[in-house]
Amino acid sequence: MTPDVRVLGPGDVEALGAEMARAVEAGDMRASSDPDGAFIHKLIAADPGQFGGAFAGRELVGLISPEVKIAIVRPDRRRQGIGRALVELGLEMERQRDRSNLLLGALPDEAIAHAFLASCGFSFHSVVYDLDLPPDRAVVAPTWPAGLVARSFDRERDVESWVALFNTAFADHPTPLQLSPAFIARGLADPDFVDADTILVEEEGTAELIGFCATDVQRRDGVHGTSAELWSIGVRPDRQGQGLGRQLVRAGVERVRALGIADAHLSVNARNASALGLYEDEGFVRSRTRERYARPVSPATETDR
Ligand SMILES: CC(C)(COP(=O)(O)OP(=O)(O)OC[C@H]1O[C@@H](n2cnc3c(N)ncnc32)[C@H](O)[C@@H]1OP(=O)(O)O)[C@@H](O)C(=O)NCCC(=O)NCCS
């Protein structure tokens, strides 16, 4: 029987959250771009359309998220063709937004995931490294070239220009990542979102944004936890290669440590060799390896659109 699959909507948020909590607990998310499930609950609330689901009757029994790079089928429903059907849905989701590949993650030792990905026509794309900064590693304070100043993100005036800078900086990234002002606006509704966790660098006097470092500090009811991720660092393409990235890494670490958080970590795709080299040079040490597999998305025909 062909499973019933569709893109999810606001009415699916509860079932999606419950299945995701199960998957995080079971370790099914370890290969994804959100291994600990820190970001995913925000994404579910903000934009359930980023997820596809498989249903048995009204029951959600499987998920795919091209954004988080994971396909998951509930253990009692595996080996019934549901994963394969979710891949077809994921390909369609990526085609609709003009992505050239559907990317999914696996850990090097996950034999079932590898068998599944090979069977569904995926081939190896890249490796993502998770890197930790040892708590006792000294990191130099940032210094900015003449004419540039660093300041905190300010939700009142920076959303549009920061999203534009983010998308420009990530346009040629090995695994595409694009934000929308609507997504950020929804994130800002979270009372635990703190503007100062994101550092912006701008041209003095012009308010022209040049670079940023966004840290993801886990908080509950305003109280932060014990580790934080430098989740995104970007420099405007025409200012890349001038040492700003290094200063932004230092600024992010400075922010995290100023909060009293000892453990700073980040992830980087190995195809992004210059960024990997920079992070290691600043003292970050590889802790985990995740793999990315890709299946090309055939372009939409006129009748698909
Ligand atoms: C990987 C996973 C999504 C597969 O879902 P599924 O619904 O069981 O997969 P399907 O039934 O559609 O299987 C498709 C093909 O994958 C391969 N496959 C799936 N499970 C397999 C297993 N346990 N052993 C060997 N091959 C397997 C087979 O070739 C299968 O085709 P076949 O049944 O005709 O032989 C599921 O096992 C799961 O949720 N695992 C945990 C999450 C995870 O590791 N995801 C990684 C992929 S992103």
Side-chain angles (χ1 to χ4, degrees):
M1 199 181 79
T2 314
D4 176 18
V5 294
R6 62 169 169 82
V7 175
L8 300 183
D12 302 306
V13 165
E14 198 177 321
L16 182 54
E19 175 54 17
M20 209 43 97
R22 184 210 61 76
V24 170
E25 179 70 26
D28 287 348
M29 295 291 293
R30 289 180 308 142
S32 77
S33 57
D34 187 29
D36 309 318
F39 167 74
I40 203 147
H41 290 286
K42 293 179 197 166
L43 187 61
I44 290 172
D47 196 359
Q50 295 279 352
F51 298 82
F55 291 83
R58 295 165 64 107
E59 208 181 342
L60 183 69
V61 294
L63 296 170
I64 187 157
S65 170
E67 196 64 25
V68 187
K69 303 180 184 66
I70 193 77
I72 300 168
V73 174
R74 231 172 57 185
D76 58 322
R77 300 283 183 163
R78 289 182 187 166
R79 222 54 209 274
Q80 298 168 25
I82 295 174
R84 199 185 286 282
L86 284 167
V87 164
E88 293 304 321
L89 176 64
L91 288 165
E92 181 55 29
M93 290 167 75
E94 291 304 68
R95 188 197 300 166
Q96 291 295 330
R97 53 178 187 170
D98 290 328
R99 294 267 169 97
S100 54
N101 286 309
L102 171 63
L103 288 160
L104 292 177
L107 296 184
D109 62 352
E110 283 181 329
I112 291 173
H114 284 112
F116 169 71
L117 290 165
S119 169
C120 292
F122 285 76
S123 47
F124 178 78
H125 177 271
S126 54
V127 161
V128 172
Y129 292 117
D130 296 326
L131 292 89
D132 296 334
L133 186 67
D136 56 357
R137 165 80 188 210
V139 172
V140 183
T143 52
W144 307 105
L148 295 188
V149 285
R151 63 172 174 85
S152 289
F153 171 78
D154 176 351
R155 65 180 69 200
E156 299 302 328
R157 57 181 168 131
D158 292 324
V159 172
E160 295 275 345
S161 48
W162 179 57
V163 168
L165 171 64
F166 185 101
N167 289 342
T168 312
F170 279 85
D172 297 324
H173 194 260
T175 59
L177 185 57
Q178 298 281 285
L179 297 180
S180 69
F183 177 74
I184 297 300
R186 280 185 292 238
L188 294 174
D190 180 347
D192 283 329
F193 185 100
V194 173
D195 287 15
D197 289 342
T198 297
I199 299 136
L200 303 178
V201 171
E202 66 181 14
E203 255 168 26
E204 209 164 9
T206 69
E208 185 75 22
L209 298 184
I210 306 294
F212 65 90
C213 177
T215 68
D216 186 13
V217 177
Q218 296 306 306
R219 290 190 180 79
R220 186 165 291 187
D221 300 327
V223 179
H224 64 70
T226 55
S227 76
E229 179 179 8
L230 272 60
W231 82 265
S232 184
I233 295 165
V235 175
R236 210 174 66 187
D238 63 302
R239 301 295 292 258
Q240 291 177 1
Q242 299 170 13
L244 278 176
R246 184 181 300 277
Q247 303 310 323
L248 286 161
V249 173
R250 292 175 176 176
V253 173
E254 185 177 62
R255 164 72 185 162
V256 167
R257 290 198 170 160
L259 291 170
I261 298 171
D263 292 324
H265 58 273
L266 54 79
S267 303
V268 60
N269 192 293
R271 287 192 180 193
N272 199 352
S274 54
L276 174 60
L278 164 60
Y279 301 143
E280 292 190 317
D281 201 38
E282 285 296 306
F284 284 82
V285 178
R286 296 180 202 189
S287 59
R288 280 187 299 191
T289 303
R290 292 174 280 145
E291 298 168 343
R292 296 286 172 256
Y293 286 79
R295 185 168 147 187
V297 174
S298 56
T301 62
E302 277 309 308
T303 46
D304 290 326
R305 286 195 187 264

